[in-house]
Amino acid sequence: MNKQAKKAYLETDKRILERNIKPLITKELIEEHRKNPVGRHSHALSQVMNYFRRNHEEIEGKDLIVCTEPHKTWCLGEHPGKRGVPYIVFSDQCFDTREKAEHALFLKRLEKHGISI
């Protein structure tokens, strides 16, 4: 994608965030996610989650969850942006369930997009 097309894409994406996504985010929506971060969600939460999961960011620095010990430990991390390079794992942001990690990632994405409730 050339620079001009990328700029237009990111501007459109920002408008979608401001007009369509931010108005959906409430304390109740965040609580819904906390109670059920994996599985079926309301229409509003599904829209927010789909927006956050889309590849609208640069891959380098993209937030993710890394399972560091199968079925026991999940940590937040970042994608390094290059093949063959290990993910960056934040050892101070680890959880004993996938659900807790998913919710922490959701909150991190809210913060990254300037959303505070």
Side-chain angles (χ1 to χ4, degrees):
M1 180 182 304
N2 67 37
K3 283 185 177 185
Q4 187 176 5
K6 184 175 181 178
K7 181 180 177 187
Y9 174 79
L10 292 174
E11 286 174 2
T12 299
D13 200 60
K14 187 173 181 174
R15 277 195 305 278
I16 291 169
L17 175 67
E18 294 299 325
R19 292 181 185 167
N20 301 62
I21 301 303
K22 283 186 177 182
L24 297 174
I25 299 171
T26 62
K27 289 179 182 179
E28 293 78 20
L29 186 99
I30 293 169
E31 181 61 14
E32 176 190 347
H33 187 273
R34 187 192 64 75
K35 287 180 179 177
N36 183 28
V38 179
R40 301 194 97 188
H41 301 111
S42 66
H43 180 70
L45 182 53
S46 292
Q47 285 185 292
V48 172
M49 302 264 309
N50 286 338
Y51 178 85
F52 285 162
R53 288 177 177 154
R54 282 189 14 240
N55 188 19
H56 58 272
E57 301 176 348
E58 295 292 329
I59 196 74
E60 183 177 355
K62 188 168 180 113
D63 298 313
L64 48 80
I65 296 171
V66 180
C67 181
T68 57
E69 189 177 354
H71 310 289
K72 290 187 179 180
T73 309
W74 293 260
C75 300
L76 298 188
E78 285 184 1
H79 198 291
K82 297 178 185 169
R83 290 179 185 240
V85 177
Y87 295 131
I88 299 161
V89 177
F90 303 123
S91 60
D92 63 334
Q93 296 178 35
C94 294
F95 305 89
D96 60 357
T97 68
R98 176 182 167 206
E99 290 78 11
K100 289 178 186 175
E102 291 283 352
H103 188 62
L105 180 62
F106 180 74
L107 295 175
K108 187 173 184 173
R109 287 176 172 165
L110 288 175
E111 184 179 319
K112 192 173 194 176
H113 290 292
I115 302 166
S116 60
I117 297 289

